Structures are given as structure tokens and as C-alpha cells.
Amino acid sequence: MGKIAFSIGTIHFSWFGLILATAILAACAISWYQVRLRRENVDTLLDLTLYSIPIGIFSARLYYVVVNWQLYAGNPREILQLWHGGLAIHGALIGIVLTIWLYSLINRISFWRWADIVVPGLAFAQAIGQWGNFINQDAFGYPTDAAWGIYIDYIYRPPGYEQFDFFHPTFLYESGWGLAIFILLIAVSRLTIKKPSTLASGSLLLLYLILYSLGRLVIEEFRLDSEMLGDWRLAQIVSAIILIWSGTLLAWRNKKRRKNGEVV
């Protein structure tokens, strides 16, 4: 399957870009639905969308470039060629969460409430976006004889693995896990809308971070292209930090809510 979906004259539309655009549109649609269910201001969502999308893409690319600088040091022009792949979900999360936090601080709205509105769509977008790795034949795992192994063209196989044809489709594992998280978040969201006192605000965001981090800790073990920090996989280090922070904060916020008898 080629990387170019179609062309109009000299303008080429890549599958990676189309998948990314689909993921963003899906996230916007889901967030809009969440806003309507929670009877919040649609204009606020529009503002957050206009700020979060470019900042999220920028931070995802910046994170990837920084931790893979050896790939770009000799050819910095490649940094701007996003259609070749290279967006880090941890970078995107940092950018999006910071954007919502700063916007909430400036406009004096609840960061936690708006994070809960946005995060189901973010999980679904992640599930879609992982298929960009399928198109670009990257972010795959170790060789496997499993029936679901994915064929990787010779030119994309890393040194030492040229003799293998099929590899773990780690993009599919992450996509499936993201979809499962999305379904759970929607279920919890419906519960909190019907019974607002069930969980403290921000619980959906923290639950997402916990579940994604748990999945990433496991899935990263299968990957061949992990960025390393000494003998440790960087993504697992970051995931472990996020997992501990999110789990602690989730427990603390809900304990505080129960103690105060109100949603915080």
C-alpha cells in the first residue's frame, strides 16, 4: 500500500495526513457531543480546539525530534516533513493538557471539568491515529509467527532483522487498547453526567492517563524502535511517572470529594 492516497495536480495527499485529519475530526465530534450532554459552552470548546490542535501536533513532533535527534541532526529539513511520520503521543498529551490548563487559568473555568469533556475524544483519536504507523511501516515490534503478524517491506526492517518477514503489529495493539479506553471513558462519562457526585471532576482525564500508561508499559516491551535512556525504555519511564502521578491524584481528589461531600 503506497503512502500517497491521491493527488490533485502537483499536490499529494498522504494516507498519514488523512488518517491524522480523520482522528482530529473524530475527536472534535465526540468532544462537541460531550459538551452538549454536559450543557457547557460550545464557544469554549471551539477555542480549545483551535488552540489545542496546532499545539498538540507541534509538541508531539517536538518531543519525537528531541528524543530522536540523531535522525534529524544531519538533515534538519526532515523535521518539517510530518507526513513521513514521527509524532509522539506523550508529547501530544503534554501539549494538549498544558493548553487546556492555561486556557482555563486565563478564562477562569474549571480545568478538570473541561479535561473530562475532551479526553474521550482524545482516546478515540489516538485509536485512529495509530493506523498511520501501519501506512508508514514503523513502530512495529519483534518478529513473530503469530497469525496476526504484519508483513514489513525489506527496506523498513531494522538492521539484524532483514531475514524476518512478519512482526508484531504494535500499532494495532495500541489502537485496540485506545478503543477499549474510549468505550470505558464514555461509560464512566455517562455515569458522572447522571450522578455528578459519583466521581470528582478530572477523574476521566486521570483514568485515561492511568489506563494508557498501563497499556504502554506492556506494549512497549514488544517494540523494536523504543528510544532508550541508558538501559531503560524512555516511553516506559515516562509512562511509569504518569501512572504514579495520575493514580495518586485520582485517589486524593476522590478522597477529598468524599470528605467534603462535594465534587471538587
Side-chain angles (χ1 to χ4, degrees):
M1 186 175 185
K3 293 185 179 183
I4 302 300
F6 61 91
S7 300
I8 300 178
T10 59
I11 302 175
H12 305 293
F13 293 83
S14 69
W15 280 111
F16 184 86
L18 292 175
I19 290 171
L20 181 61
T22 301
I24 291 172
L25 289 174
C28 292
I30 293 168
S31 297
W32 178 84
Y33 182 65
Q34 291 293 306
V35 164
R36 297 300 295 270
L37 284 178
R38 295 172 184 267
R39 298 181 180 181
E40 289 288 349
N41 191 338
V42 176
D43 289 338
T44 299
L45 176 63
L46 179 60
D47 287 344
L48 287 173
T49 300
L50 292 176
Y51 294 133
S52 296
I53 291 174
I55 293 175
I57 294 174
F58 173 79
S59 58
R61 184 60 168 177
L62 178 63
Y63 185 102
Y64 184 86
V65 170
V66 169
V67 299
N68 293 278
W69 180 244
Q70 71 279 3
L71 300 177
Y72 300 95
N75 185 19
R77 294 172 66 180
E78 178 70 18
I79 294 174
L80 300 177
Q81 297 177 343
L82 295 180
W83 54 91
H84 290 170
L87 297 175
I89 183 62
H90 281 137
L93 287 175
I94 292 170
I96 292 172
V97 170
L98 282 177
T99 300
I100 298 173
W101 178 73
L102 285 173
Y103 183 89
S104 301
L105 190 66
I106 294 170
N107 292 276
R108 298 182 180 181
I109 60 175
S110 170
F111 161 75
W112 295 109
R113 183 168 179 80
W114 278 96
D116 280 350
I117 289 173
V118 170
V119 77
L122 180 60
F124 191 69
Q126 181 187 347
I128 296 174
Q130 288 295 330
W131 287 85
N133 294 321
F134 167 71
I135 298 298
N136 287 340
Q137 296 194 56
D138 58 15
F140 51 86
Y142 289 101
T144 180
D145 293 327
W148 57 84
I150 182 175
Y151 178 82
I152 299 296
D153 290 336
Y154 185 84
I155 61 172
Y156 296 111
R157 299 172 194 172
Y161 293 90
E162 294 89 349
Q163 71 274 30
F164 298 99
D165 292 327
F166 294 91
F167 297 78
H168 277 285
T170 49
F171 80 90
L172 180 59
Y173 302 161
E174 281 212 46
S175 178
W177 185 237
L179 182 60
I181 293 174
F182 164 71
I183 293 172
L184 178 61
L185 291 179
I186 288 297
V188 175
S189 176
R190 287 183 174 275
L191 177 63
T192 57
I193 290 173
K194 290 181 179 179
K195 298 181 179 180
S197 61
T198 304
L199 292 171
S201 60
S203 292
L204 263 69
L205 170 64
L206 297 173
L207 184 59
Y208 163 76
L209 293 175
I210 290 168
L211 292 175
Y212 174 71
S213 297
L214 282 171
R216 187 64 183 269
L217 283 169
V218 175
I219 296 171
E220 198 68 21
E221 285 292 329
F222 292 90
R223 287 183 58 165
L224 276 171
D225 62 344
S226 298
E227 297 88 13
M228 305 299 293
L229 189 62
D231 295 330
W232 299 88
R233 297 173 188 258
L234 179 60
Q236 290 182 322
I237 295 174
V238 175
S239 295
I241 293 172
I242 293 175
L243 175 61
I244 294 170
W245 177 81
S246 301
T248 302
L249 192 54
L250 179 65
W252 178 79
R253 286 183 62 79
N254 280 281
K255 181 179 179 180
K256 183 178 179 181
R257 180 198 61 79
R258 288 191 296 270
K259 182 178 180 180
N260 294 345
E262 59 185 7
V263 179
V264 297

